[in-house]
Amino acid sequence: MIRLGAKEIVEKIKDEANAECEKIMSGARETGKKKVEESRAEIELQKRRFIEAEERKGVEEKERIVRAARLNARKLKWDVEEEMIAKALEEAMNRIKEVKTDGFKGNSYSDIMAGLIKDAAISIIAGSSAGGDELEVIISEEDASFVNKKMLKKISDEINQDRGVNVRLSLSGERIKSAGGVIVRGKGVEIEVNNTFEQRMARLSTSLREDIVKTLFMTRSV
Amino acid sequence: MAVEALKLIREGEEEGRKLMDAEKESAARIIKDAEEEVKRLKEKAREDEKSLAVQISDTYAKEGAEKEKKIVENAEAEAEKRKANAESNLENTVNVLLEKILGLV
């Protein structure tokens, strides 16, 4: 009777142990599975965020490349414009030699020099308080053949008649180094007008540049 | 007889304890294996991120380079056109410049 009772007890102990074991194993499997699943979900979320961040970086880098390319494109356009503007100015200066021999638009070089002398003289008179002015004309050695006393007399007569003044123009023995044009200076007065081509280009640079851009890059309609 | 019964019960209890201990060890191994799996998954995710980063960066860099090429090509063509147009207008422009420099306007 007692042995039968003991066997039952032992069986019960074994059953309870087995049940507990199953509970432990089931719990462990459940815990393990949950750990792995949670980890997968976290990794997936992190992966999505990572991709978003990398995509943003990628887009920014692509936009940076495109911005740089557009800047380079603008620079290329400016470089071509500057190259052609410089070419136009250089060509104009190179043509001066032709102008001296062949004239320009029906004007001989002497006429052109006369115009520059008259223009400079009038500017000096306008700035001077005195009614009579002794002005001297300074030119380059190369241009010496284009200016003479007769021409200067004619110019001064024109000015005197138009302006009611008494201007006398004379050719200075001094010479300048210049592509062309004149300097007109008051004798004994510190006033001069520099109408050499170089100075005129410098003085008129802004409007010359506007003219160049307007005419050089004008698109002709076909 | 009573002693024998007690002996049986103790043996039964001992067996039960051993079984439970063994199962606890197995359970610990299951959890450890799960943790190893998590570690492995995270390591793989890190590796995947590295190659994803390269892939995404390469894709956008390629798109950027393609756009850049088109922009540069267009700009060069436009510049050539502009230069050719300017060359055709050069004579006129020089005449306009000379008029001003020579004081004829």
Side-chain angles (χ1 to χ4, degrees):
Chain A
M1 280 272 306
I2 294 170
R3 200 174 287 173
L4 204 60
K7 272 191 185 171
E8 277 172 3
I9 291 169
V10 167
E11 282 303 315
K12 198 176 176 196
I13 290 169
K14 279 184 185 174
D15 287 345
E16 282 175 2
N18 282 332
E20 190 59 27
C21 285
E22 185 50 41
K23 205 169 146 188
I24 289 169
M25 288 302 283
S26 165
R29 278 192 289 269
E30 194 57 39
T31 302
K33 188 180 166 192
K34 197 175 165 191
K35 274 185 191 283
V36 170
E37 278 172 3
E38 279 173 0
S39 173
R40 279 188 208 277
E42 189 190 321
I43 285 169
E44 193 54 38
L45 180 64
Q46 194 171 316
K47 185 179 173 183
R48 273 202 302 274
R49 284 183 185 150
F50 178 80
I51 289 173
E52 279 169 17
E54 288 301 305
E55 290 265 333
R56 271 196 302 274
K57 263 167 59 177
V59 165
E60 273 170 22
E61 179 58 18
K62 178 181 157 185
E63 283 172 359
R64 188 197 63 77
I65 292 170
V66 167
R67 268 197 308 273
R70 286 192 181 132
L71 191 62
N72 284 341
R74 277 200 293 277
K75 189 175 175 300
L76 185 62
K77 185 183 165 195
W78 292 331
D79 285 349
V80 162
E81 285 177 2
E82 289 306 312
E83 183 193 329
M84 291 310 296
I85 288 167
K87 191 171 179 181
L89 288 165
E90 193 186 332
E91 191 57 33
M93 288 310 282
N94 290 343
R95 283 269 297 272
I96 301 287
K97 224 175 186 173
E98 269 175 48
V99 170
K100 290 187 183 185
T101 52
D102 304 337
F104 181 74
K105 293 205 168 179
N107 299 286
S108 68
Y109 188 61
S110 285
D111 292 338
I112 290 167
M113 287 291 271
L116 292 172
I117 292 167
K118 189 174 177 181
D119 176 61
I122 289 169
S123 296
I124 291 174
I125 292 163
S128 163
S129 49
D133 288 280
E134 288 278 345
L135 303 178
E136 57 177 357
V137 174
I138 311 162
I139 56 177
S140 68
E141 192 58 53
E142 193 187 308
D143 287 353
S145 59
F146 296 103
V147 178
N148 54 43
K149 278 185 187 169
K150 191 178 168 188
M151 175 201 202
L152 293 178
K153 179 78 174 48
K154 186 173 177 238
I155 295 167
S156 49
D157 286 345
E158 279 174 13
I159 295 172
N160 293 340
Q161 191 169 5
D162 291 344
R163 306 271 166 157
V165 291
N166 188 17
V167 155
R168 280 174 297 282
L169 287 164
S170 59
L171 187 61
S172 170
E174 188 185 334
R175 292 286 181 263
I176 51 172
K177 271 194 165 57
S178 167
V182 295
I183 295 175
V184 177
R185 190 162 60 198
K187 267 189 185 173
V189 179
E190 276 190 36
I191 182 166
E192 81 172 33
V193 170
N194 189 325
N195 251 353
T196 57
F197 297 148
E198 292 87 346
Q199 271 304 305
R200 287 183 63 79
M201 274 182 71
R203 218 160 43 233
L204 300 167
S205 63
T206 306
S207 78
L208 284 177
R209 196 182 163 89
E210 282 168 10
D211 290 334
I212 293 172
V213 170
K214 205 167 117 188
T215 51
L216 203 53
F217 300 110
M218 173 180 70
T219 316
R220 297 180 187 194
S221 47
V222 180
Chain B
M1 295 266 286
V3 169
E4 252 185 56
L6 275 170
K7 192 178 164 199
L8 264 173
I9 291 167
R10 275 200 204 105
E11 279 171 4
E13 280 177 348
E14 187 58 33
E15 211 179 299
R17 260 195 303 276
K18 278 183 184 168
L19 193 65
M20 291 239 324
D21 286 347
E23 289 303 283
K24 278 179 185 171
E25 265 181 39
S26 296
R29 267 199 303 276
I30 287 172
I31 291 181
K32 192 170 174 224
D33 286 348
E35 285 167 355
E36 288 294 313
E37 175 68 5
V38 163
K39 201 171 152 188
R40 193 192 60 78
L41 285 169
K42 285 184 176 172
E43 186 55 42
K44 185 167 181 309
R46 271 194 291 276
E47 288 302 315
D48 287 349
E49 275 181 5
K50 279 182 195 167
S51 55
L52 261 174
V54 168
Q55 195 183 314
I56 291 170
S57 169
D58 284 354
T59 301
Y60 282 104
K62 192 177 165 196
E63 283 177 19
E66 279 168 8
K67 268 203 158 177
E68 180 188 27
K69 190 173 167 216
K70 274 201 185 114
I71 290 169
V72 167
E73 278 171 2
N74 285 346
E76 282 171 354
E78 193 56 40
E80 279 305 306
K81 210 168 130 184
R82 204 160 168 75
K83 193 171 175 180
N85 183 52
E87 289 283 359
S88 73
N89 291 330
L90 189 60
E91 182 70 22
N92 267 359
T93 306
V94 169
N95 286 339
V96 166
L97 286 178
L98 281 172
E99 275 182 341
K100 271 199 170 158
I101 293 167
L102 300 174
L104 296 174
V105 291

